Amino acid sequence: MPIDMPIDMPIDMPIDRSTPMPSSNPSNRPRILFLGQEILYYPTIYKRLVSQFDIVQPPIKDLQRKPFMQHLRDGTWGDFQAIMRPSWHSGNEMERWDRETIELLPRGLKVFSSAGAGYDWVDTACLAEHGILYCNGAGASTEAVGDMALHHIISVFRNMNQSTSAARSLDGETFLNAHHNIPAISRNPRNHTLGIVGLGQIGFMVARKAYLACGMKILYHDIVRKPLDQEQSVKATYFENIEEMLGKTDCLVLATPSNFSGRPFLTANIIALLPRGARFVNIARGSLVDEDALANALEDGHLAAAALDVHADEPRVCERFVKMENVLLTSHTGGGVVETREGFEKLAMENVERVLLGREALTPVNGHLMKRMEVNGHGEVNGHGGDTNGHGSANGEEEEVDGSSPA
């Protein structure tokens, strides 16, 4: 369910965050490394952080991978206890947060809180090894991505891409061809099965919208079965065995996180388990899909249509899909609304504040991994404590796709 996030009064001037960057911390207050652009929506929360913590904001030029890593080696920003990235569109100029980068972080770092629901760009398992909690923006984009998924589902059943393209062609013959022929290959979504891989916050929102708006029959696979009352609210059927679900699926939707390795889930072998004429929607991550295998299945008719909001090599889109009338393509805008940006900013700040004050995080991703290491006697790795006190656990946690058992 979407989280309730009222908007503070707009600010007339950008907040001045030109904080000096000493290598020491004479105030002895916890320090936050603030990555990215200024706070736009919640200045009151930011001012609250300023009153409690030292905040250091490097200039964008220092966030490119090479200078960023050198600054970490040099200790330019001192011993910071939190990293905060409130905007999805800035603050990650260094791109992938891999082991090479993580091992340069300060020993006392407790939490890394970032905008965005996906986290395939950061090695959350490695962060857990080093006792660093990762928090994402889960919940902030749920409503928007759910809406986009519903649009894509309707599109693949009603061949909206072909219809829209024909209308935009300004060619009468193309228009009439679509007008006469699309009805013969289109179906209503009602009473068709929707197989969802991953029934987290977004997956469940997709299920609710498809069930309530379109009367679809909900099937799902997840590594953890959801509570009975949640299943009953959308009359969902759980499949522990994903192969069994795929064989009963009229439209498959990916709503699961990717993993840092980027191994695809949708391969030729997985596609072969779907009934001939099934449809496919991806609002998760492009790296989950073997795009050549998908294109082959669309070309040979095993799949009737596909809709993709995410792509394997963004911002580049697979040329084979561009040429197909039965493939709807959008530009990774599933969560792209103002409300999502507001929510990302709010969660990034609140997660940091809560962890630094010893409270549970709102949307922890890798807390379960940290606890697992603690139980197994690996409470400290490479000098970083693995204690999860104050970090919380599973409100926002997601398991990562391992190539065969997606969350």
Side-chain angles (χ1 to χ4, degrees):
M1 297 293 292
I3 55 180
D4 183 21
M5 289 170 287
I7 306 173
D8 281 301
M9 294 295 291
I11 55 177
D12 297 324
M13 298 177 63
I15 296 174
D16 181 9
R17 294 184 291 108
S18 55
T19 311
M21 295 182 287
S23 58
S24 60
N25 187 3
S27 72
N28 291 320
R29 300 196 307 174
R31 176 173 292 174
I32 299 170
L33 184 65
F34 187 154
L35 305 180
Q37 69 182 39
E38 70 229 22
I39 296 300
L40 298 177
Y41 306 107
Y42 289 94
T44 301
I45 297 177
Y46 180 75
K47 290 175 183 176
R48 193 169 73 219
L49 294 184
V50 170
S51 72
Q52 302 174 89
F53 314 112
D54 290 338
I55 299 180
V56 174
Q57 181 217 354
I60 296 297
K61 67 180 178 62
D62 289 344
L63 302 185
Q64 300 294 330
R65 185 174 182 85
K66 186 174 179 180
F68 184 81
M69 293 180 69
Q70 188 59 51
H71 281 298
L72 290 178
R73 293 187 187 97
D74 295 343
T76 303
W77 305 307
D79 292 327
F80 47 90
Q81 287 71 49
I83 298 174
M84 181 174 73
R85 179 191 170 212
S87 171
W88 179 248
H89 297 285
S90 69
N92 197 31
E93 284 70 19
M94 68 160 295
E95 300 179 347
R96 290 173 69 80
W97 287 70
D98 52 16
R99 181 172 295 275
E100 181 184 15
T101 306
I102 292 168
E103 290 185 346
L104 296 175
L105 296 172
R107 294 165 58 91
L109 182 61
K110 295 180 178 180
V111 59
F112 181 175
S113 183
S114 176
Y119 44 87
D120 51 337
W121 52 275
V122 57
D123 191 339
T124 56
C126 184
L127 286 175
E129 288 179 22
H130 290 72
I132 302 167
L133 186 70
Y134 180 78
C135 301
N136 68 350
S141 61
T142 300
E143 186 78 35
V145 178
D147 287 344
M148 181 67 84
L150 185 62
H151 166 68
H152 279 49
I153 291 165
I154 294 171
S155 294
V156 295
F157 276 94
R158 296 294 306 276
N159 291 280
M160 292 298 191
N161 185 62
Q162 182 180 353
S163 181
T164 300
S165 298
R168 288 180 175 277
S169 72
L170 301 179
D171 179 76
E173 183 177 351
T174 302
F175 181 99
L176 291 173
N177 177 65
H179 177 70
H180 291 302
N181 295 325
I182 286 179
I185 57 173
S186 297
R187 302 293 296 270
N188 288 326
R190 184 169 298 275
N191 293 324
H192 283 85
T193 56
L194 185 71
I196 303 175
V197 181
L199 205 71
Q201 293 189 59
I202 290 175
F204 182 65
M205 181 61 74
V206 174
R208 287 190 70 233
K209 290 177 182 290
Y211 171 73
L212 294 172
C214 297
M216 299 191 75
K217 299 175 182 178
I218 306 301
L219 318 177
Y220 81 96
H221 170 76
D222 200 300
I223 58 170
V224 178
R225 184 170 183 172
K226 303 308 172 185
L228 185 60
D229 60 343
Q230 185 177 353
E231 290 183 348
Q232 291 178 338
S233 69
V234 293
K235 296 184 178 179
T237 301
Y238 173 67
F239 288 84
E240 183 176 3
N241 185 322
I242 192 169
E243 295 182 359
E244 184 181 354
M245 186 192 81
L246 292 172
K248 301 177 184 295
T249 295
D250 295 321
C251 180
L252 179 67
V253 176
L254 294 189
T256 179
S258 180
N259 60 19
F260 191 68
S261 70
R263 292 190 302 272
F265 161 74
L266 192 81
T267 61
N269 290 337
I270 291 292
I271 293 171
L273 297 173
L274 291 165
R276 187 170 184 84
R279 295 157 172 87
F280 174 68
V281 170
N282 188 10
I283 45 83
R285 278 293 182 267
S287 60
L288 292 170
V289 175
D290 179 336
E291 292 188 335
D292 282 330
L294 176 58
N296 291 341
L298 289 161
E299 288 176 347
D300 67 23
H302 186 79
L303 295 182
L308 310 172
D309 183 52
V310 289
H311 310 274
D313 190 26
E314 295 180 7
R316 288 165 288 278
V317 175
C318 176
E319 291 186 15
R320 295 176 70 184
F321 295 148
V322 174
K323 300 173 183 177
M324 297 179 180
E325 289 185 329
N326 58 342
V327 179
L328 175 70
L329 302 170
T330 50
S331 303
H332 199 156
T333 51
V337 296
V338 170
E339 291 86 348
T340 297
R341 289 188 172 195
E342 293 168 353
F344 282 166
E345 182 180 282
K346 186 171 189 282
L347 278 169
M349 290 191 288
E350 290 187 337
N351 274 315
V352 163
E353 180 182 41
R354 291 173 72 91
V355 171
L356 292 182
L357 294 178
R359 299 164 61 192
E360 290 191 354
L362 296 170
T363 55
V365 168
N366 63 346
H368 62 301
L369 298 177
M370 296 171 70
K371 289 187 175 182
R372 190 178 303 164
M373 292 172 188
E374 192 175 52
V375 169
N376 292 335
H378 300 294
E380 183 167 312
V381 181
N382 293 336
H384 286 79
D387 178 28
T388 60
N389 291 339
H391 291 159
S393 55
N395 274 350
E397 283 179 15
E398 299 281 0
E399 290 280 357
E400 296 182 344
V401 172
D402 65 4
S404 60
S405 300

